[in-house]
Amino acid sequence: PKEESNFHKMIADMVGWEAPTSHFSIIMACLIMYARLKRVVEIGVWKGGTAVLLAHAARMTGGSYVGVDVTIHQGVRERLERFGFGGVSSFLEGYSHQVPYDGVPIDLLFIDGDHTKGGARADWDRWTTWVRPGGWIFIDNTSSEQGVVDFFSDLQKEAAFQREFRFVNCPESFGVAMIQKK
């Protein structure tokens, strides 16, 4: 349906850092719809620029969106409600390495939370355990935030990572890694 690609309507009122900062946000949403992914988890919601696209895509597949952040800004909830995504969206408010999770296998995980090396590592260690085989992980800021750059550089050298995942890192703009669990 035409609604599936009307992302511009959903993000028209977002400006600056509120808006999705790269085309990969739209690519994630398209991947969700194309591959019929069900459980989508975003770590680092901030003001919801990507949340609205991911929640829309999850709704189109009959799935659900879970946003995880220390503070969920009221504008995020309002935006999702305005576009009718409230029924497929939920939030875990608190530190991503501590909030309780229901254990539902994750089809797409977007890591864009704590940009320190230790914070990125903690998110990876905790959340990728729930990503199902064949599932996807996107990591933002792989070329723009030194902590994430260092974490991802170290991760690529690990034998377990090389054995269990395949990936491509796109260093343009802020940098994003697209990873699939084998």
Side-chain angles (χ1 to χ4, degrees):
K2 185 176 182 180
E3 176 187 344
E4 285 189 27
S5 61
N6 197 359
F7 298 126
H8 295 291
K9 177 181 170 189
M10 288 178 256
I11 61 176
D13 65 333
M14 298 180 193
V15 295
W17 286 101
E18 267 187 20
T21 55
S22 293
H23 296 297
F24 73 84
S25 296
I26 292 173
I27 291 168
M28 282 191 295
C30 289
L31 175 63
I32 291 164
M33 292 185 294
Y34 174 78
R36 311 297 298 163
L37 304 180
K38 299 293 185 187
R39 177 55 71 103
V40 177
V41 175
E42 176 181 22
I43 298 171
V45 177
W46 199 56
K47 293 201 175 183
T50 303
V52 70
L53 299 179
L54 299 182
H56 166 71
R59 183 179 71 176
M60 297 304 293
T61 67
S64 62
Y65 164 86
V66 178
V68 182
D69 210 321
V70 173
T71 302
I72 305 297
H73 295 271
Q74 186 59 32
V76 175
R77 296 176 199 275
E78 291 168 0
R79 180 173 288 117
L80 293 174
E81 287 293 332
R82 183 172 72 231
F83 288 108
F85 307 144
V88 300
S89 302
S90 62
F91 297 98
L92 301 175
E93 196 162 352
Y95 292 104
S96 57
H97 60 279
Q98 295 175 336
V99 294
Y101 180 65
D102 62 14
V104 171
I106 298 171
D107 294 305
L108 186 140
L109 173 65
F110 179 39
I111 298 175
D112 188 21
D114 185 336
H115 293 102
T116 65
K117 183 177 180 180
R121 180 81 220 190
D123 286 340
W124 175 268
D125 289 344
R126 178 156 194 247
W127 291 92
T128 59
T129 61
W130 288 300
V131 175
R132 68 168 177 78
W136 296 91
I137 303 147
F138 284 72
I139 302 174
D140 196 13
N141 303 111
T142 58
S143 64
S144 61
E145 295 287 337
Q146 196 58 54
V148 178
V149 171
D150 293 344
F151 153 71
F152 193 64
S153 176
D154 290 351
L155 183 67
Q156 292 173 66
K157 297 171 190 166
E158 296 175 11
F161 178 77
Q162 294 172 16
R163 186 177 53 255
E164 297 172 25
F165 298 91
R166 59 185 183 167
F167 75 96
V168 62
N169 186 31
C170 304
E172 289 73 22
S173 186
F174 298 102
V176 65
M178 186 169 102
I179 304 162
Q180 187 175 32
K181 193 173 199 177
K182 294 180 184 175

